[in-house]
């Protein structure tokens, strides 16, 4: 079980001079966390395996919303890549390129995990096309090596690396910039301000 700050606060509340009502609320929070650790819900692994449906939203260059046949929406973050943030150069273009390709199209998502924001993380397929790899090929994403190392086979990792290098050499998309800033560095800079 991953201990979060709210769990530590609840534990402190439980053994403090807090009111009985606050202690009950803290106890319920802790029991819920322990139950979730012992019996992970199917929702936390949200359809682990596969989602099929129509893309009804494109949030940015690496996040979409898929509506399945039961009319349930699934927020999906692309695995293995990281696209520019909307406030970065090429962020809007990365979103537009993805939207032009996927909006209102039927896709299949291989769900690999769920991230800390509750989004499914996976590989998106449009027919037999790996859309994640397509964003790299078009030059609108970086190969997110930090996370790809734990989930990609050596063969796939190499393919994604080679695809990014080819996009760089051909100055595709964001590689028009002499020194594009990776989104993880951009986010770190934004948090530091």
């Amino acid at each position: 079980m991953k201990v979060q700050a709210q769990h530590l606060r609840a534990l402190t509340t439980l053994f403090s001079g807090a009111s009985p009502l606050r202690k009950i609320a803290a106890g319920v929070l802790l029991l819920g966390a322990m139950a979730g650790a012992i019996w992970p819900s199917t929702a936390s692994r949200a359809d682990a395996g596969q989602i099929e449906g129509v893309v009804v939203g494109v949030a940015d260059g690496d996040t979409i919303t898929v509506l399945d046949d039961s009319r349930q929406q699934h927020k999906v973050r692309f695995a293995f890549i990281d696209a520019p943030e909307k406030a970065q150069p090429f962020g809007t273009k990365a979103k537009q390129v993805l939207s032009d390709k996927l909006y209102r199209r039927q896709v299949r998502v291989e769900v690999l995990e769920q991230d800390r924001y509750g989004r499914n993380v996976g590989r998106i397929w449009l027919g037999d096309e790996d859309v994640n790899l397509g964003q790299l090929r078009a030059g609108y994403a970086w190969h997110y090596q930090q996370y790809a190392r734990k989930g990609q086979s050596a063969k796939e990792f190499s393919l994604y690396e080679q695809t990014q290098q080819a996009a760089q050499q051909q100055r595709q998309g964001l590689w028009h910039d002499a020194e594009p800033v990776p989104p993880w560095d951009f986010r770190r800079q934004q948090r530091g301000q």
Side-chain angles (χ1 to χ4, degrees), residues 82-143:
D82 201 4
E85 297 293 329
K86 287 184 258 185
Q88 283 187 265
F90 296 97
T92 302
K93 184 66 175 171
K95 175 185 176 181
Q96 188 60 54
V97 165
L98 190 60
S99 184
D100 290 348
K101 178 177 281 214
L102 294 183
Y103 188 66
R104 295 186 181 223
R105 302 283 307 271
Q106 181 79 24
V107 296
R108 178 174 49 88
V109 180
E110 284 177 31
V111 179
L112 304 174
E113 65 181 345
Q114 231 184 16
D115 69 11
R116 62 183 173 175
Y117 304 108
R119 299 175 298 188
N120 293 300
V121 178
R123 186 186 330 238
I124 290 66
W125 295 92
L126 179 63
D128 61 355
E129 178 189 353
D130 177 349
V131 180
N132 304 40
L133 186 64
Q135 282 292 87
L136 280 178
R137 185 176 294 114
Y140 290 110
W142 276 261
H143 185 208

Side-chain angles (χ1 to χ4, degrees), residues 136-139 141 160-178 180:
L136 280 178
R137 185 176 294 114
Y160 273 58
E161 279 295 293
Q162 291 170 10
T163 301
Q164 177 177 306
Q165 289 169 5
Q168 284 176 284
Q169 290 167 355
Q170 296 164 13
R171 300 182 60 79
Q172 296 286 337
L174 63 89
W175 302 111
H176 277 108
D177 272 4

